């Protein structure tokens, strides 16, 4: 809500919301605010230990070199002078939109929320993602909507306090990242002092200590979330690597092979699901299976549990290994526009990803062998998975009758 309010409420004593949108469109290539939430990458390349979280609000924009000063003025307007006080109706509309968007997404993209729910119990970044973009956040949206209707002054006070805290912290921790050719960077550098004077002028000594996330580490155990749908979204996962252990780039190859072969054939072709895949995060060590628009539930969970045995018995053909390596390299080498390259460089700077670590990962992907599949299969066999599903009441009841033992939460 805070991020949208910054961008969609206009500027105090300057522009209303419509005027501001037109100004952005006329003077720039757009402004966009996003949240970065990830664990800091350890220097030794192992799975992150502790709760070293990188949590940032990132405001991105682009403009021609002639409009650099306009871009920075508008960015400062967003961060410093967004007109919260006049946005009571717009705030309520945003929350209603968020509520409707969640309720639609639960029925059409349930696998994403199931994955978030599983990750929330495994590491701090997962818990924060669930609290800010998952079922927990949906429940917060419902409470905020009632508050916007019945206690707007109190909600406004909280939003203003958040902005004050962000600006106070910006004085000591803001990072400005510029991407462009030499001429564009010269123009941007000339315009930067005005941006810094407005955004970085807070008293750094007044900034609070880092937030205490400890209350988010323990969430309701994953289970079945009942929504009105004719298909199911089935996920199961856990920690494939413990903190301090060392994943390799070859794990990306095996994960790709598992998705392209076993899950494709078992979950999609035989099971009839629209899609089946797995995700692996080498920083947190988290591994999650998921299916999309799946007519099955218990059978899909069984397929996940049998993946390790299938992989142990697998004789990987050279051609299939090459195919998986190419797919994994494709994940690394997707084409990027200049602004996307700049965004990636900023994220790498903030989360501790070095060029050496990226090259090491690439080398390990290219050097993958059948032995890496056997090693991965051993870890998969030892993986303690937790299920999370979004499904109809009838599907959950049928799965529990077969022994799934899913805790049931009626979501919609």
């Amino acid at each position: 809500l805070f991020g949208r309010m910054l961008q969609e409420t206009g500027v105090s004593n300057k522009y209303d919301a419509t005027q501001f949108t037109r100004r952005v469109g006329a003077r720039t290539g757009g402004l966009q605010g996003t949240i970065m939430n990830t664990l800091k990458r350890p220097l030794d390349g192992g799975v992150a230990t502790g709760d070293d979280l990188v949590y940032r609000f990132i405001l991105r924009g682009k403009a021609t070199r002639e409009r650099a000063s306009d871009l920075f003025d508008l960015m400062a307007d967003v961060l410093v002078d967004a007109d919260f006080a006049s946005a009571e109706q717009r705030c309520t509309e945003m929350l209603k939109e968020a509520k409707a968007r969640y309720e639609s997404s639960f029925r059409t993209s349930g696998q994403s929320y199931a994955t978030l729910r599983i990750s929330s119990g495994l590491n701090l970044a997962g818990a924060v993602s669930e609290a800010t973009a998952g079922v927990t956040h949906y429940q917060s949206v419902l409470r905020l909507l009632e508050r916007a209707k019945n206690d707007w002054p109190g909600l406004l006070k909280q939003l203003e306090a958040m902005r004050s805290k962000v600006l106070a912290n910006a004085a000591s921790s803001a990072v400005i990242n510029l991407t462009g050719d030499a001429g564009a960077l010269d123009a941007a550098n000339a315009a930067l002092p005005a941006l810094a004077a407005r955004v970085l002028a807070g008293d750094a000594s007044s900034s609070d200590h880092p937030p205490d996330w400890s209350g988010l580490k323990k969430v309701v155990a994953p289970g079945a979330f009942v929504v009105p749908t004719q298909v199911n979204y089935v996920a199961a996962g856990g920690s494939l690597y413990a903190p301090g252990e060392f994943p390799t780039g070859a794990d990306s190859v095996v994960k790709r092979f598992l998705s392209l072969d076993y899950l494709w054939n078992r979950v999609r072709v035989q099971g009839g699901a629209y899609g089946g895949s797995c995700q692996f995060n080498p920083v947190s060590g988290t591994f999650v299976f998921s299916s999309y628009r799946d007519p099955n539930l218990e059978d899909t969970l069984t397929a996940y549990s049998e993946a390790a045995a299938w992989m142990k018995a697998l004789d990987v053909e050279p051609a299939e290994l090459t195919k998986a390596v190419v797919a994994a390299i494709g994940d690394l080498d997707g084409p990027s526009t200049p602004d996307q390259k700049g965004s990636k460089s900023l994220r790498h700077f903030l989360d501790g990803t070095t060029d050496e670590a990226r090259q090491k990962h690439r080398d390990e992907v290219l050097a993958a062998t059948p032995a890496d599949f056997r090693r991965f299969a051993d870890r998969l066999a030892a993986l303690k998975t937790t299920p999370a599903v979004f499904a109809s009441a009838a599907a959950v009841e049928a799965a529990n009758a077969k022994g799934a033992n899913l805790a049931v939460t009626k979501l919609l």
Side-chain angles (χ1 to χ4, degrees), residues 17 28 34 39 81 83 103 110 130 132 144 167 169 205 208 212-213 230 250 312 323 336 360 384:
T28 77
T34 58
L39 294 175
D81 294 319
D83 191 7
E103 291 173 354
E130 163 65 19
T132 57
L144 286 170
L167 292 174
N169 288 335
S205 64
D208 294 336
D212 178 9
W213 299 105
Q230 295 181 333
K312 284 186 174 183
K323 180 180 177 181
S336 299
K360 180 175 181 291
K384 296 180 180 180

Side-chain angles (χ1 to χ4, degrees), residues 95-116:
L95 291 167
K96 287 181 178 179
E97 290 168 7
K99 176 178 179 292
R101 186 165 54 249
Y102 270 123
E103 291 173 354
S104 174
S105 295
F106 290 151
R107 294 190 290 265
T108 60
S109 303
Q111 79 287 352
S112 298
Y113 298 101
T115 298
L116 281 178

Side-chain angles (χ1 to χ4, degrees), residues 132-199:
T132 57
V135 171
T136 302
H137 187 244
Y138 166 69
Q139 294 164 341
S140 296
V141 165
L142 299 182
R143 292 191 295 270
L144 286 170
L145 180 56
E146 289 303 311
R147 193 174 179 197
K149 292 177 180 178
N150 302 315
D151 182 24
W152 168 245
L155 181 55
L156 174 61
K157 183 178 180 180
Q158 186 175 358
L159 290 167
E160 295 286 8
M162 290 176 67
R163 173 161 54 190
S164 296
K165 183 173 182 178
V166 168
L167 292 174
N169 288 335
S172 61
S173 62
V175 175
I176 297 175
N177 186 68
L178 302 174
T179 304
D181 60 24
L185 292 179
D186 287 342
N189 281 320
L192 268 180
L195 174 66
R198 293 180 65 188
V199 176

Side-chain angles (χ1 to χ4, degrees), residues 58-59 89 110 112 119 135 167 176 192 251 268 272 297 337 367 389 391 398:
I58 299 177
L59 183 62
Q89 181 178 350
S112 298
S119 299
V135 171
L167 292 174
I176 297 175
L192 268 180
D251 294 328
R268 179 164 183 168
L297 199 165
T337 60
V389 305

Side-chain angles (χ1 to χ4, degrees), residues 27 44 67 74 84 86 107 115 140-141 156 160-161 174 188 208 219 246 288 303 369 377 397 409:
R27 300 301 179 97
D44 62 5
R67 294 294 186 184
L74 291 167
F84 293 171
S86 301
R107 294 190 290 265
T115 298
S140 296
V141 165
L156 174 61
E160 295 286 8
D208 294 336
V219 299
F246 294 89
V288 180
T369 68
E397 183 179 348
T409 301

Side-chain angles (χ1 to χ4, degrees), residues 326-398:
V326 170
I329 288 292
D331 292 337
L332 302 177
D333 286 343
S336 299
T337 60
D339 62 312
Q340 290 172 334
K341 291 178 181 178
S343 178
K344 288 178 183 178
S345 71
L346 174 61
R347 289 175 177 271
H348 290 162
F349 173 79
L350 293 173
D351 71 16
T353 300
T354 64
D355 290 343
E356 292 77 13
R358 295 171 64 198
Q359 185 61 54
K360 180 175 181 291
H361 180 85
R362 178 185 294 273
D363 292 343
E364 290 169 347
V365 167
L366 294 171
T369 68
D372 293 306
F373 284 70
R374 293 189 289 272
R375 175 183 55 79
F376 195 94
D378 290 337
R379 285 193 173 270
L380 202 58
L383 178 66
K384 296 180 180 180
T385 61
T386 300
V389 305
F390 283 68
S392 67
V396 174
E397 183 179 348

